[in-house]
């Protein structure tokens, strides 16, 4: 009987560990801070960073993109998609720490997607746009800098 309980407990633990490990890896990637657009602003990077022609298609969805360039795009899917608030909080905190204040925030629906636009402004007139797209299967966030 004791062997059966030990076996059952071991099976339950072994079954749950991959999910916990995946979540821990995703959280660590969320907090990765390798990319620096402004010397003090750090954005999540790692496997979430989008590159190539797909970035142009994502930027084309941004309302009010005129006046912004040097776009960086990130895409989170699966369990990581549910960490929207953590992504936005991390980026907003990084902007605030670098002296950028939130000047504008607007949310609107575009088909099945929810778009949120955050404009940050620094005391020396620099502006940055954080644009978040919540799609049914992915979370996309883009950052552009004023020209």
């Amino acid at each position: 009987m004791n062997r059966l309980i030990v076996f059952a407990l071991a099976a339950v633990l072994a079954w749950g560990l991959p999910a916990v490990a995946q979540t821990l890896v995703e959280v660590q990637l969320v907090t990765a801070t390798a990319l620096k657009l402004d010397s003090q602003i750090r954005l999540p990077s790692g496997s979430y960073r989008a590159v190539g022609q797909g970035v142009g298609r994502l930027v084309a969805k941004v309302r009010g993109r005129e006046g912004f360039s040097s776009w960086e795009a990130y895409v989170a899917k699966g369990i990581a998609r549910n960490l929207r608030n953590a992504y936005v909080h991390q980026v907003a905190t990084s902007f605030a720490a670098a002296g950028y204040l939130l000047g504008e925030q607007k949310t609107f629906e575009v088909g099945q997607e929810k778009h949120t636009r955050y404009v940050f402004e620094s005391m020396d007139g620099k502006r940055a746009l954080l644009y978040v797209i919540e799609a049914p299967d992915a979370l996309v966030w883009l950052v552009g800098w004023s020209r």
Side-chain angles (χ1 to χ4, degrees), residues 59-143:
V59 171
K61 292 182 171 188
V62 175
R63 284 190 184 178
R65 67 184 172 275
E66 301 79 20
F68 294 93
S69 62
S70 303
W71 290 96
E72 292 287 337
Y74 301 85
V75 179
K77 295 185 176 191
I79 294 173
R81 185 221 173 280
N82 297 327
L83 297 173
R84 179 217 183 271
N85 292 336
Y87 294 128
V88 172
H89 181 267
Q90 180 184 2
V91 174
T93 300
S94 186
F95 276 111
Y100 286 79
L101 301 175
L102 181 61
E104 172 189 331
Q105 178 179 343
K106 293 182 182 176
T107 301
F108 41 91
E109 301 287 327
V110 178
Q112 292 184 335
E113 299 176 341
K114 179 180 170 185
H115 293 218
T116 306
R117 174 186 164 87
Y118 304 88
V119 178
F120 294 90
E121 300 172 8
S122 71
M123 295 298 212
D124 61 356
K126 292 181 187 175
R127 294 177 60 209
L129 173 63
L130 168 63
Y131 198 87
V132 179
I133 302 171
E134 294 178 71
D137 62 339
L139 173 69
V140 177
W141 69 100
L142 302 105
V143 177

Side-chain angles (χ1 to χ4, degrees), residues 24-65:
L24 288 175
V25 167
E26 289 170 344
V27 170
Q28 288 172 350
L29 286 173
V30 169
T31 58
T33 56
L35 179 66
K36 296 180 182 180
L37 294 175
D38 180 306
S39 64
Q40 296 177 337
I41 306 246
R42 298 170 191 261
L43 300 174
S45 63
S47 64
Y48 296 117
R49 186 165 182 219
V51 294
Q53 294 178 342
V55 174
R57 286 192 296 269
L58 294 172
V59 171
K61 292 182 171 188
V62 175
R63 284 190 184 178
R65 67 184 172 275

